């Protein structure tokens, strides 16, 4: 499945110039004043730049438009149905499936970075192409990303094409909200017959979390949810956070630790073993490799996307039970 042929730049420029010339008379009055009005199309705006002017605004309107919505979102999602930790390819894929199939659920994504997408903006070693082994090409077709078919695998011409596409679809869903530049500092727990049950996350702005050691106490915020999906990646500055926290709270004895790179072993294991680790916490993507001692997969992204699908499926299996428990 290859991308459509590009339009000739020469033809495209000539067509644009013709359109602008043809409409210019209808946009300029007898004395030369601009007739450009809000709501016009791009073609109608072309050729009118000398008289162009934005609609007026006060600076306070910009500030209020942002802060009003942000704080309303904080209030709305303080009680969520599902929290997804990490907006990499696994977390975004999970959000897409959940948001599409359960529009009744409030789904909150917490991303530590300013720019969501994890490592999927580029392929390996800053090379731009993204490789996905089949059958992960099914997900590319689902979200409308073109690719070159190479037999057992497909290649997306730039990883950013996949990332921007899945991100735009997720953020367009009315029941999904992403808080980026925000990190999860801890997990909310409740007593459970198996030990503890996870019932939400403790959050803070990432820049605040990074300076806990050199600033005075800065208390966090919280989001309650009966189910958390953690996809924070393998060990690193923010990676494998949730599973490392399970060890420190003595909910699991120790981490298996990620093994060496073996694509054939790693991708199968990550997808198959995506699951609820403890009640209320589903782990997917490369964070799972730290729990199970699975191999590293390197720059092949099929398991990331399909682990997200599996995480969403596992979430839907247990959501009603966890929601009932969370209400007590």
């Amino acid at each position: 499945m290859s991308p459509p042929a590009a339009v000739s730049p020469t033809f495209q420029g000539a067509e644009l110039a013709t359109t602008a010339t043809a409409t210019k008379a209808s946009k300029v009055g007898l004395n030369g004043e601009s007739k450009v009005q809000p709501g016009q199309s791009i073609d109608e705006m072309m050729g009118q730049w000398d008289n162009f002017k934005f609609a007026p605004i006060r600076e306070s309107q910009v500030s209020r438009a942002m802060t009003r919505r942000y704080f309303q979102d904080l209030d709305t999602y303080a009680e969520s149905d599902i929290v997804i930790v990490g907006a990499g390819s696994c977390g975004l894929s999970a959000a897409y499936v959940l948001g599409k199939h359960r529009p009744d659920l409030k789904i909150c994504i917490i991303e530590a970075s300013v720019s969501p997408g994890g490592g999927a903006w580029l392929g390996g070693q800053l090379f731009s192409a993204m490789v996905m082994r089949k059958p992960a090409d099914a997900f590319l077709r689902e979200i409308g990303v073109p690719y070159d078919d190479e037999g057992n695998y497909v290649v997306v011409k730039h990883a950013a094409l996949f990332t921007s596409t899945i991100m735009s679809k997720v953020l367009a869903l009315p029941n999904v909200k992403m808080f980026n530049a925000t990190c999860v500092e801890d997990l909310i727990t409740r007593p459970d017959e198996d030990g503890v049950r996870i019932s939400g996350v403790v959050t803070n702005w990432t820049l605040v979390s990074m300076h806990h050691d050199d600033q005075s106490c800065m208390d966090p915020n919280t989001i309650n949810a009966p189910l958390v999906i953690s996809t924070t990646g393998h060990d690193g500055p923010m990676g494998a956070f949730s599973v490392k926290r399970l060890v420190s709270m003595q909910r699991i004895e120790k981490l298996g630790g990620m093994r060496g790179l073996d694509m054939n072993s790693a991708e199968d294991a990550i997808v198959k073993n995506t699951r609820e680790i403890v009640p209320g916490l589903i782990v997917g993507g490369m964070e799972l490799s730290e729990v199970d001692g699975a191999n590293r997969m390197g720059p092949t992204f099929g398991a990331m996307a399909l682990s997200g699908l599996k995480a969403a499926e596992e979430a839907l299996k247990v959501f009603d039970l966890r929601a009932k428990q969370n209400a007590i």
Side-chain angles (χ1 to χ4, degrees):
M1 179 177 175
S2 300
V7 177
S8 165
T10 302
F11 173 77
Q12 193 174 37
E15 183 181 48
L16 186 60
T18 301
T19 302
T21 302
T23 58
K24 185 174 183 180
S26 64
K27 296 183 288 183
V28 181
L30 294 177
N31 60 355
E33 80 279 8
S34 172
K35 289 185 177 181
V36 174
Q37 298 294 328
Q40 289 185 321
S41 69
I42 291 294
D43 283 344
E44 290 172 324
M45 293 168 62
M46 300 302 290
Q48 301 301 307
W49 306 117
D50 288 345
N51 298 307
F52 177 82
K53 190 174 184 179
F54 280 105
I57 196 170
R58 287 184 65 80
E59 289 77 6
S60 61
Q61 289 178 283
V62 176
S63 180
R64 285 171 170 165
M66 293 187 298
T67 56
R68 183 186 300 120
R69 285 165 174 78
Y70 190 87
F71 286 108
Q72 180 60 52
D73 287 335
L74 284 177
D75 181 76
T76 300
Y77 286 88
E79 282 282 352
S80 293
D81 293 307
I82 297 176
V83 171
I84 298 174
V85 187
S89 47
C90 180
L92 290 171
S93 299
Y96 172 80
V97 174
L98 288 168
K100 178 180 177 181
H101 291 282
R102 287 295 301 268
D104 57 310
L105 300 182
K106 284 193 297 184
I107 301 162
C108 176
I109 307 173
I110 305 295
E111 168 54 44
S113 177
V114 172
S115 55
W121 286 110
L122 289 167
Q125 200 168 310
L126 303 183
F127 302 143
S128 58
M130 170 181 274
V131 175
M132 282 196 178
R133 294 165 61 203
K134 293 181 177 180
D137 56 319
F139 189 64
L140 296 177
R141 292 192 296 274
E142 163 72 19
I143 62 174
V145 173
Y147 56 78
D148 294 324
D149 195 320
E150 300 289 348
N152 287 341
Y153 64 94
V154 300
V155 182
V156 178
K157 68 177 182 179
H158 201 297
L161 178 58
F162 167 79
T163 304
S164 58
T165 300
I166 183 62
M167 192 180 304
S168 67
K169 291 185 178 295
V170 166
L171 295 180
L173 293 168
N175 60 325
V176 177
K177 173 62 183 179
M178 179 189 296
F179 295 96
N180 50 313
T182 306
C183 70
V184 170
E185 288 193 341
D186 207 346
L187 301 171
I188 299 174
T189 64
R190 295 287 186 269
D192 185 83
E193 59 185 14
D194 293 328
V196 296
R197 174 171 45 84
I198 307 304
S199 60
V201 295
V202 179
T203 67
N204 216 325
W205 285 322
T206 302
L207 290 176
V208 172
S209 293
M210 291 171 63
H211 288 279
H212 280 325
D213 292 338
D214 54 45
Q215 297 291 329
S216 60
C217 178
M218 292 170 277
D219 284 333
N221 207 346
T222 57
I223 299 174
N224 282 107
L227 201 56
V228 174
I229 299 175
S230 191
T231 65
T232 66
H234 55 70
D235 195 13
M238 303 267 183
F241 172 81
S242 296
V243 296
K244 287 189 285 190
R245 189 68 183 94
L246 290 181
V247 174
S248 63
M249 68 173 65
Q250 299 182 334
R251 187 55 186 84
I252 58 179
E253 183 180 351
K254 64 178 182 178
L255 298 180
M258 185 174 62
R259 303 295 197 267
L261 193 149
D262 182 342
M263 290 181 181
N264 289 294
S265 171
E267 290 209 277
D268 292 348
I270 293 300
V271 176
K272 289 178 179 179
N273 294 324
T274 296
R275 65 193 186 279
E276 190 178 40
I277 300 293
V278 300
L281 180 67
I282 293 169
V283 178
M286 288 309 292
E287 184 170 2
L288 192 66
S289 68
E290 299 288 352
V291 181
D292 294 342
N295 291 92
R296 184 176 183 174
M297 67 184 60
T300 174
F301 289 85
M304 295 295 92
L306 297 191
S307 178
L309 271 61
K310 176 81 181 302
E313 183 179 297
E314 295 298 308
L316 294 178
K317 287 179 183 177
V318 301
F319 176 76
D320 290 338
L321 172 60
R322 300 297 174 233
K324 183 178 180 180
Q325 292 171 329
N326 199 56
I328 299 175

